[in-house]
Amino acid sequence: SQTIHQWPATLVQPVGSPLSLECTVEGTSNPNLYWYRQAAGRGLQLLFYSVGIGQISSEVPQNLSASRPQDRQFILSSKKLLLSDSGFYLCAWSVQCFSGNTIYFGEGSWLTVV
Amino acid sequence: GNSVTQMEGPVTLSEEAFLTINCTYTATGYPSLFWYVQYPGEGLQLLLKATKADDKGSNKGFEATYRKETTSFHLEKGSVQVSDSAVYFCALANAGGTSYGKLTFGQGTILTVHP
């Protein structure tokens, strides 16, 4: 069966520090991969998605970047964090093609920028 | 562009009460519709989905029917339990093109069920 893991689960970072959140998917090949953010008191917003290695699409302009160095690895990064980057970050995957396919989410990572 | 609007919460019910959480959407073409649930401190889990008009998704006593004529996907449960306390998100995914699989979420509805 397929599983998705992301880490770290919780982190507190000072303003201006770098960020790296990692996500891996097991049990499937060539998945679509996604990073979502859930800001406090707000809904989920799609940040990035990827349909293949090295292929990244950004949905909103921001202080963050994403990379996909391997088929089942998706990394969310920042060179210098802002206070507004605080939130709950969720990695997700889905099978390629067909919009009716379910998107499966990881456990999430709580980021607090202080 | 796509958008999803959910009824504002929080919703507070007594155990065994009837639940409705309204969801309406705006999208081009024929989107797929989803309900996700987020229990306290956890990530999102798929609750149910419907991929075409008049489909009914159901799971764990929850139901939602894809109504194209009213662009709605309201979530219902006949008798809620304390364990149903969570945040519920309505979402849609567009069909085709570069929008494959990407979800547009509503703002979420907090449900609290008291014994």
Side-chain angles (χ1 to χ4, degrees), chain A residues 36 38 49 59 99-100 102-103, chain B residues 36 38 49 94 98 101 103:
Chain A
Y36 285 84
Q38 184 179 24
Y49 73 95
E59 289 294 294
S99 68
T102 300
I103 292 182
Chain B
Y36 280 84
Q38 184 178 30
K49 70 178 185 181
N94 246 21
T98 57
L103 289 170

Side-chain angles (χ1 to χ4, degrees), chain A residues 14-72:
Chain A
V15 169
S17 65
L19 170 73
S20 180
L21 298 179
E22 294 194 30
C23 172
T24 59
V25 179
E26 298 177 359
T28 188
S29 296
N30 198 29
N32 281 354
L33 296 173
Y34 312 85
W35 279 110
Y36 285 84
R37 176 172 60 196
Q38 184 179 24
R42 300 174 66 178
L44 284 91
Q45 181 182 41
L46 178 64
L47 302 177
F48 300 96
Y49 73 95
S50 171
V51 298
I53 296 174
Q55 299 179 61
I56 309 294
S57 296
S58 174
E59 289 294 294
V60 294
Q62 58 208 315
N63 184 43
L64 303 168
S65 62
S67 62
R68 184 170 178 175
Q70 300 180 42
D71 181 43
R72 291 169 292 173

